[in-house]
Amino acid sequence: MTLFSKMPQIPRKDELLDKAFQRARKVKKTIDKHDRINSIREYEQNKISTVSTVISVTLDNILEKTPKISNLDPFHKHLVELVIDAGQFKKSLAALKWASRFNTDIGHKYRRRLKGTPLKSLAPVRKEYYGRVSSILKQIKKDLLFLEDCRNILKKLPTLKNLPTVVLAGYPNVGKSSLLKSLTGAEPAVQPYPFTTKKILLGYIDEKIQVIDTPGLLDRPIEEKNKIEMHAMLALQYRANLIIYLIDPTETCGYTIEQQKSLYENIKASFEETPILLCATKSDLSPSKTSRGKSKTKDTPYSLSTKTDEGIDTLKKRLLRSIDWKTYSFKPISFKSPPKRK
Ligand SMILES: Nc1nc2c(ncn2[C@@H]2O[C@H](COP(=O)(O)OP(=O)(O)OP(=O)(O)O)[C@@H](O)[C@H]2O)c(=O)[nH]1
Ligand SMILES: [Mg+2]
């Protein structure tokens, strides 16, 4: 179940009109021989009611089941604003509301009008109403299309659980998604090129810790970050109880240790309230020089490899052990001594 999974499919203008007119075609025609005009009038009124109801019920259902962006928590609100034009989304929903109300109003108006209409004009008046309804829907044609496009994007957004949360961050291609897979068993795409991960991915350690894999970040000011990088920044800003910063000392990721170290220092400074754990990836490729040797940051990184699983189990255990369940924060993690057995 995702945040927008209840948002109903948005019909195109013609689909909605066809649905309404088809339903109206099924209205039963029972003619009372003694009161022909009134029974035909009632028949035409029922057709108008049917069209009006189908349209308003469909539009109202969309309005009711679409979450209000302003009511979302800050993380999901910003995430939505990143992937769709939230201003236009609001305007299009307002247009649907207008159309629903206007449609109901003119439905009432035309049913009243039928009361004083002579027999031969009953069907033409009802047809005139059909024309009015078509023109209302024509005015929201683009809004319907836009909202359906948005729905297709929004229904794929992740819904985060309320659990202690670790955010994996680092340069592209350093092994973040591989670590998510090793820690949680999630199945993210892993490829030997940068920016494989384009959005936020989730995994869970023993259903106790939520792990967020993020797109790679480049070391540049926030104003210059692209939309893909901004997914990572939002996770760091709003959801990280602990940041695991991954550094690839083998530089097979395509970025130098210096670049990676500089981003590490920037992230530390930008999110100074959040504890940060420095991990050196791909220890299988250069076991001797991974952590202490080359990385040149004053913090000693913890070495691990998702190929040989070096360091993975210990990391998992330390994470589970360091949760403070009162605050969902993580106590400082140290790897100097082996984890105590219970
Ligand atoms: N030898 C070795 N290769 C690794 C290790 N971890 C990841 N890789 C490789 O590094 C490359 C990138 O791995 P990903 O897990 O996709 O890296 P990422 O940081 O998620 O990359 P983006 O999503 O593009 O930011 C892949 O070719 C992986 O197979 C490791 O521990 N050892
Ligand atoms: Mg990735």
Side-chain angles (χ1 to χ4, degrees), residues 201-256:
L201 302 173
L202 303 175
Y204 296 89
I205 302 176
D206 293 356
E207 293 301 314
K208 291 194 174 94
I209 298 176
Q210 175 164 252
V211 183
I212 305 184
D213 175 24
T214 63
L217 289 166
L218 300 174
D219 187 25
R220 51 186 177 184
I222 193 153
E223 317 80 70
E224 289 171 27
K225 290 196 188 299
N226 62 29
K227 281 195 170 187
I228 297 179
E229 289 174 275
M230 284 310 290
H231 283 79
M233 295 304 282
L234 289 180
L236 288 167
Q237 185 177 351
Y238 292 110
R239 298 312 282 252
N241 300 110
L242 172 74
I243 299 168
I244 295 187
Y245 184 85
L246 301 187
I247 198 159
D248 172 4
T250 71
E251 299 184 350
T252 53
C253 60
Y255 303 95
T256 65

Coordinates of all heavy atoms in Angstrom, one line a residue, residues 201-256:
L201 N 14.8 3.9 -2.4 CA 14.5 2.5 -2.3 C 14.5 2.1 -0.8 O 15.3 2.6 -0.1 CB 15.4 1.6 -3.1 CG 15.6 1.9 -4.6 CD1 16.7 1.1 -5.2 CD2 14.2 1.7 -5.3
L202 N 13.7 1.1 -0.5 CA 13.5 0.8 1.0 C 13.9 -0.7 1.2 O 13.6 -1.5 0.4 CB 12.1 1.0 1.4 CG 11.5 2.4 1.3 CD1 10.1 2.4 1.7 CD2 12.4 3.4 2.1
G203 N 14.4 -1.0 2.4 CA 14.6 -2.3 2.9 C 14.5 -2.3 4.4 O 14.5 -1.3 5.0
Y204 N 14.3 -3.5 4.9 CA 14.1 -3.6 6.4 C 15.0 -4.6 7.0 O 15.1 -5.7 6.5 CB 12.6 -3.9 6.7 CG 11.8 -2.7 6.2 CD1 11.3 -2.7 4.9 CD2 11.6 -1.6 7.0 CE1 10.6 -1.6 4.5 CE2 10.9 -0.5 6.6 CZ 10.4 -0.5 5.3 OH 9.7 0.6 4.8
I205 N 15.7 -4.3 8.1 CA 16.5 -5.3 8.9 C 15.6 -5.8 10.0 O 15.2 -5.0 10.9 CB 17.7 -4.6 9.5 CG1 18.6 -4.0 8.4 CG2 18.5 -5.7 10.3 CD1 19.8 -3.2 8.9
D206 N 15.3 -7.1 9.9 CA 14.4 -7.7 11.0 C 13.1 -7.0 11.3 O 12.7 -7.0 12.4 CB 15.2 -7.9 12.3 CG 16.4 -8.9 12.1 OD1 16.5 -9.5 11.0 OD2 17.1 -9.0 13.1
E207 N 12.6 -6.3 10.3 CA 11.4 -5.4 10.5 C 11.6 -4.4 11.7 O 10.6 -3.9 12.2 CB 10.2 -6.3 10.8 CG 9.7 -7.1 9.7 CD 9.4 -6.3 8.4 OE1 8.7 -5.3 8.6 OE2 9.8 -6.7 7.3
K208 N 12.9 -4.1 12.0 CA 13.1 -3.2 13.1 C 13.7 -1.9 12.7 O 13.6 -0.8 13.2 CB 14.0 -3.8 14.2 CG 13.4 -5.0 15.0 CD 14.2 -5.3 16.2 CE 13.6 -6.3 17.1 NZ 14.0 -7.7 16.7
I209 N 14.5 -2.1 11.6 CA 15.2 -0.9 11.1 C 14.9 -0.7 9.6 O 14.9 -1.6 8.8 CB 16.8 -1.0 11.2 CG1 17.2 -1.2 12.7 CG2 17.5 0.2 10.5 CD1 18.7 -1.4 12.8
Q210 N 14.5 0.5 9.3 CA 14.2 0.9 7.9 C 15.5 1.4 7.3 O 16.1 2.3 7.8 CB 13.1 1.9 7.9 CG 12.8 2.5 6.5 CD 11.4 3.3 6.6 OE1 10.4 2.8 6.1 NE2 11.5 4.4 7.3
V211 N 15.9 0.8 6.1 CA 17.1 1.3 5.5 C 16.7 1.9 4.1 O 15.9 1.4 3.4 CB 18.1 0.1 5.2 CG1 19.4 0.6 4.5 CG2 18.4 -0.6 6.5
I212 N 17.1 3.2 3.9 CA 16.8 3.9 2.7 C 18.0 4.0 1.8 O 19.1 4.5 2.2 CB 16.3 5.3 3.0 CG1 15.1 5.3 4.0 CG2 15.9 6.0 1.7 CD1 14.5 6.7 4.2
D213 N 17.9 3.4 0.6 CA 19.0 3.5 -0.4 C 18.6 4.8 -1.2 O 17.5 5.0 -1.5 CB 19.0 2.3 -1.2 CG 20.0 2.4 -2.4 OD1 21.0 3.1 -2.3 OD2 19.8 1.7 -3.4
T214 N 19.7 5.6 -1.5 CA 19.4 6.8 -2.2 C 20.2 6.9 -3.4 O 21.2 6.2 -3.6 CB 19.8 8.0 -1.3 OG1 21.2 8.0 -1.0 CG2 19.1 8.0 0.0
P215 N 19.8 7.8 -4.4 CA 20.6 8.0 -5.5 C 22.0 8.7 -5.1 O 22.1 9.3 -4.1 CB 19.8 9.1 -6.3 CG 18.4 8.9 -5.8 CD 18.6 8.6 -4.4
G216 N 23.0 8.5 -6.0 CA 24.3 9.0 -5.6 C 24.3 10.5 -5.6 O 23.5 11.2 -6.3
L217 N 25.2 11.1 -4.7 CA 25.3 12.5 -4.6 C 26.6 12.9 -5.2 O 27.6 12.2 -5.1 CB 25.2 12.9 -3.1 CG 23.9 12.8 -2.4 CD1 24.1 12.9 -0.9 CD2 23.0 13.9 -2.9
L218 N 26.7 14.1 -5.7 CA 27.9 14.7 -6.2 C 28.3 15.8 -5.2 O 27.4 16.4 -4.6 CB 27.8 15.2 -7.6 CG 27.5 14.2 -8.7 CD1 27.3 14.9 -10.0 CD2 28.6 13.1 -8.8
D219 N 29.5 16.1 -5.1 CA 29.9 17.2 -4.1 C 29.7 18.5 -4.8 O 30.7 19.1 -5.4 CB 31.4 16.9 -3.7 CG 31.8 17.9 -2.6 OD1 30.9 18.3 -1.8 OD2 32.9 18.2 -2.4
R220 N 28.5 19.1 -4.6 CA 28.3 20.4 -5.2 C 27.2 21.1 -4.3 O 26.5 20.4 -3.6 CB 27.9 20.3 -6.6 CG 26.8 19.4 -6.9 CD 26.5 19.3 -8.4 NE 25.5 18.3 -8.8 CZ 25.2 18.0 -10.0 NH1 25.8 18.6 -11.0 NH2 24.2 17.1 -10.3
P221 N 27.1 22.4 -4.4 CA 26.1 23.1 -3.5 C 24.7 22.6 -3.8 O 24.4 22.2 -5.0 CB 26.3 24.6 -3.9 CG 27.6 24.7 -4.7 CD 27.9 23.3 -5.2
I222 N 23.9 22.7 -2.8 CA 22.5 22.2 -2.9 C 21.8 22.9 -4.1 O 21.0 22.2 -4.8 CB 21.7 22.4 -1.6 CG1 20.4 21.6 -1.6 CG2 21.5 23.8 -1.2 CD1 20.0 21.1 -0.3
E223 N 22.0 24.1 -4.4 CA 21.3 24.8 -5.5 C 21.7 24.2 -6.8 O 20.9 24.3 -7.8 CB 21.7 26.3 -5.6 CG 21.8 27.1 -4.4 CD 23.2 26.9 -3.6 OE1 24.2 27.3 -4.1 OE2 23.1 26.3 -2.6
E224 N 22.8 23.5 -6.9 CA 23.2 22.9 -8.2 C 22.8 21.4 -8.3 O 23.1 20.8 -9.3 CB 24.7 23.0 -8.4 CG 25.2 24.5 -8.6 CD 26.7 24.6 -8.6 OE1 27.4 23.6 -8.9 OE2 27.1 25.7 -8.3
K225 N 22.3 20.9 -7.2 CA 21.9 19.5 -7.3 C 20.7 19.2 -8.2 O 19.8 20.0 -8.2 CB 21.6 19.0 -5.9 CG 22.9 18.9 -5.0 CD 22.6 18.1 -3.8 CE 23.8 18.2 -2.8 NZ 25.1 17.7 -3.3
N226 N 20.8 18.1 -8.9 CA 19.7 17.8 -9.8 C 18.5 17.1 -9.0 O 18.7 16.8 -7.8 CB 20.1 17.0 -11.0 CG 20.7 15.6 -10.6 OD1 20.3 15.1 -9.6 ND2 21.6 15.1 -11.4
K227 N 17.4 16.9 -9.7 CA 16.2 16.4 -9.0 C 16.5 15.0 -8.5 O 16.0 14.6 -7.4 CB 15.1 16.3 -10.0 CG 14.4 17.6 -10.2 CD 13.1 17.5 -10.9 CE 12.3 18.8 -10.8 NZ 11.0 18.7 -11.3
I228 N 17.3 14.2 -9.1 CA 17.6 12.8 -8.7 C 18.4 12.9 -7.3 O 18.1 12.2 -6.4 CB 18.4 12.0 -9.7 CG1 17.6 11.9 -11.0 CG2 18.8 10.7 -9.2 CD1 18.3 11.1 -12.1
E229 N 19.4 13.8 -7.3 CA 20.1 14.0 -6.1 C 19.2 14.5 -4.9 O 19.4 14.1 -3.8 CB 21.3 15.0 -6.2 CG 22.4 14.5 -7.1 CD 23.4 15.6 -7.3 OE1 23.2 16.4 -8.3 OE2 24.4 15.7 -6.6
M230 N 18.3 15.3 -5.3 CA 17.4 15.9 -4.2 C 16.6 14.8 -3.5 O 16.2 15.0 -2.3 CB 16.5 16.9 -4.8 CG 17.2 18.3 -5.1 SD 18.1 18.9 -3.8 CE 16.8 19.4 -2.6
H231 N 16.3 13.7 -4.1 CA 15.7 12.6 -3.4 C 16.5 12.2 -2.2 O 16.0 11.9 -1.1 CB 15.5 11.3 -4.3 CG 14.4 11.4 -5.3 ND1 14.5 12.2 -6.5 CD2 13.2 10.9 -5.3 CE1 13.4 12.1 -7.2 NE2 12.5 11.3 -6.5
A232 N 17.8 12.1 -2.5 CA 18.7 11.7 -1.4 C 18.8 12.7 -0.3 O 18.7 12.4 0.9 CB 20.1 11.5 -2.0
M233 N 18.8 14.0 -0.7 CA 18.9 15.1 0.3 C 17.6 15.1 1.2 O 17.7 15.3 2.4 CB 19.0 16.4 -0.4 CG 20.3 16.6 -1.2 SD 21.8 16.3 -0.2 CE 21.9 17.9 0.7
L234 N 16.5 14.8 0.6 CA 15.2 14.8 1.4 C 15.3 13.7 2.4 O 14.9 13.9 3.6 CB 14.0 14.6 0.5 CG 13.6 15.8 -0.4 CD1 12.4 15.4 -1.3 CD2 13.3 17.0 0.4
A235 N 15.7 12.5 2.0 CA 15.8 11.4 2.9 C 16.8 11.7 4.1 O 16.5 11.5 5.2 CB 16.3 10.1 2.2
L236 N 17.9 12.4 3.7 CA 18.9 12.7 4.8 C 18.3 13.8 5.7 O 18.4 13.7 6.9 CB 20.1 13.3 4.1 CG 21.0 12.3 3.4 CD1 22.0 13.0 2.5 CD2 21.7 11.4 4.4
Q237 N 17.6 14.8 5.1 CA 17.1 15.9 5.9 C 15.9 15.4 6.8 O 15.9 15.8 8.0 CB 16.6 17.0 5.0 CG 16.2 18.2 5.7 CD 15.8 19.3 4.8 OE1 16.0 19.2 3.6 NE2 15.2 20.4 5.3
Y238 N 15.0 14.6 6.3 CA 13.8 14.4 7.0 C 13.7 13.0 7.7 O 13.0 12.8 8.6 CB 12.6 14.6 6.1 CG 12.3 16.0 5.7 CD1 12.5 16.3 4.4 CD2 11.9 17.0 6.6 CE1 12.3 17.7 4.0 CE2 11.7 18.3 6.2 CZ 11.9 18.6 4.9 OH 11.7 19.9 4.5
R239 N 14.4 12.0 7.2 CA 14.2 10.7 7.7 C 15.3 10.0 8.4 O 15.2 8.9 8.9 CB 13.6 9.8 6.6 CG 12.2 10.3 6.1 CD 11.2 10.7 7.2 NE 10.6 9.6 7.8 CZ 9.3 9.2 7.6 NH1 8.6 9.9 6.8 NH2 8.8 8.2 8.2
A240 N 16.5 10.6 8.2 CA 17.7 9.8 8.8 C 17.8 9.9 10.3 O 18.0 11.0 10.8 CB 19.0 10.3 8.1
N241 N 17.8 8.8 11.0 CA 18.2 8.7 12.4 C 19.6 8.4 12.5 O 20.3 8.7 13.4 CB 17.4 7.7 13.1 CG 15.9 7.9 13.1 OD1 15.1 7.2 12.5 ND2 15.5 9.0 13.8
L242 N 20.1 7.8 11.4 CA 21.6 7.5 11.3 C 21.9 7.6 9.8 O 21.1 7.1 8.9 CB 21.9 6.1 11.8 CG 23.3 5.6 11.6 CD1 24.3 6.4 12.5 CD2 23.4 4.1 11.9
I243 N 23.0 8.2 9.5 CA 23.5 8.2 8.1 C 24.7 7.2 8.0 O 25.6 7.3 8.8 CB 24.0 9.6 7.7 CG1 22.9 10.7 7.8 CG2 24.6 9.6 6.2 CD1 23.3 12.1 7.7
I244 N 24.6 6.4 7.0 CA 25.8 5.6 6.7 C 26.4 6.1 5.4 O 25.7 6.1 4.4 CB 25.5 4.1 6.5 CG1 25.0 3.5 7.9 CG2 26.7 3.3 6.1 CD1 24.8 2.0 7.9
Y245 N 27.6 6.8 5.6 CA 28.2 7.3 4.4 C 29.2 6.3 3.8 O 30.1 5.9 4.5 CB 28.9 8.7 4.8 CG 29.5 9.3 3.5 CD1 28.7 10.1 2.7 CD2 30.8 9.1 3.1 CE1 29.2 10.7 1.6 CE2 31.3 9.6 2.0 CZ 30.5 10.5 1.2 OH 31.0 11.0 0.0
L246 N 29.0 6.0 2.6 CA 29.8 5.0 2.0 C 30.9 5.7 1.1 O 30.6 6.5 0.3 CB 29.0 4.1 1.1 CG 27.9 3.3 1.7 CD1 27.3 2.3 0.8 CD2 28.4 2.6 3.0
I247 N 32.1 5.2 1.4 CA 33.3 5.7 0.6 C 33.9 4.5 -0.1 O 34.0 3.5 0.5 CB 34.2 6.5 1.6 CG1 35.2 7.4 0.8 CG2 35.0 5.5 2.5 CD1 35.8 8.5 1.7
D248 N 34.2 4.7 -1.4 CA 34.8 3.6 -2.1 C 36.3 3.9 -2.3 O 36.7 4.6 -3.2 CB 34.1 3.5 -3.5 CG 34.8 2.5 -4.4 OD1 35.8 1.8 -4.0 OD2 34.4 2.4 -5.6
P249 N 37.2 3.3 -1.4 CA 38.6 3.7 -1.4 C 39.3 3.1 -2.7 O 40.4 3.5 -3.0 CB 39.1 3.1 -0.1 CG 38.1 2.2 0.4 CD 36.9 2.3 -0.4
T250 N 38.6 2.2 -3.4 CA 39.3 1.6 -4.6 C 39.1 2.5 -5.7 O 39.8 2.3 -6.8 CB 38.6 0.2 -4.9 OG1 37.3 0.5 -5.5 CG2 38.5 -0.7 -3.7
E251 N 38.3 3.5 -5.6 CA 38.0 4.5 -6.6 C 37.5 3.8 -7.9 O 37.4 4.5 -9.0 CB 39.2 5.4 -6.9 CG 39.7 6.2 -5.7 CD 40.8 7.1 -6.0 OE1 41.4 7.0 -7.1 OE2 41.1 7.9 -5.1
T252 N 37.0 2.6 -7.8 CA 36.5 1.9 -9.0 C 35.1 2.5 -9.4 O 34.5 2.3 -10.4 CB 36.3 0.4 -8.9 OG1 35.6 0.2 -7.7 CG2 37.6 -0.3 -8.9
C253 N 34.6 3.3 -8.4 CA 33.3 4.0 -8.7 C 33.5 5.1 -9.7 O 32.5 5.5 -10.3 CB 32.7 4.6 -7.4 SG 33.9 5.8 -6.6
G254 N 34.7 5.5 -9.9 CA 35.0 6.6 -10.9 C 35.2 7.9 -10.2 O 35.3 8.9 -11.0
Y255 N 35.2 8.0 -8.9 CA 35.4 9.3 -8.2 C 36.6 9.1 -7.3 O 36.8 8.0 -6.7 CB 34.2 9.7 -7.5 CG 33.0 9.8 -8.4 CD1 32.1 8.8 -8.6 CD2 32.8 11.0 -9.2 CE1 31.0 8.9 -9.4 CE2 31.7 11.1 -10.0 CZ 30.8 10.0 -10.2 OH 29.7 10.1 -11.0
T256 N 37.4 10.2 -7.1 CA 38.6 10.1 -6.2 C 38.2 10.0 -4.7 O 37.1 10.5 -4.4 CB 39.5 11.3 -6.4 OG1 38.8 12.4 -6.0 CG2 39.9 11.4 -7.9

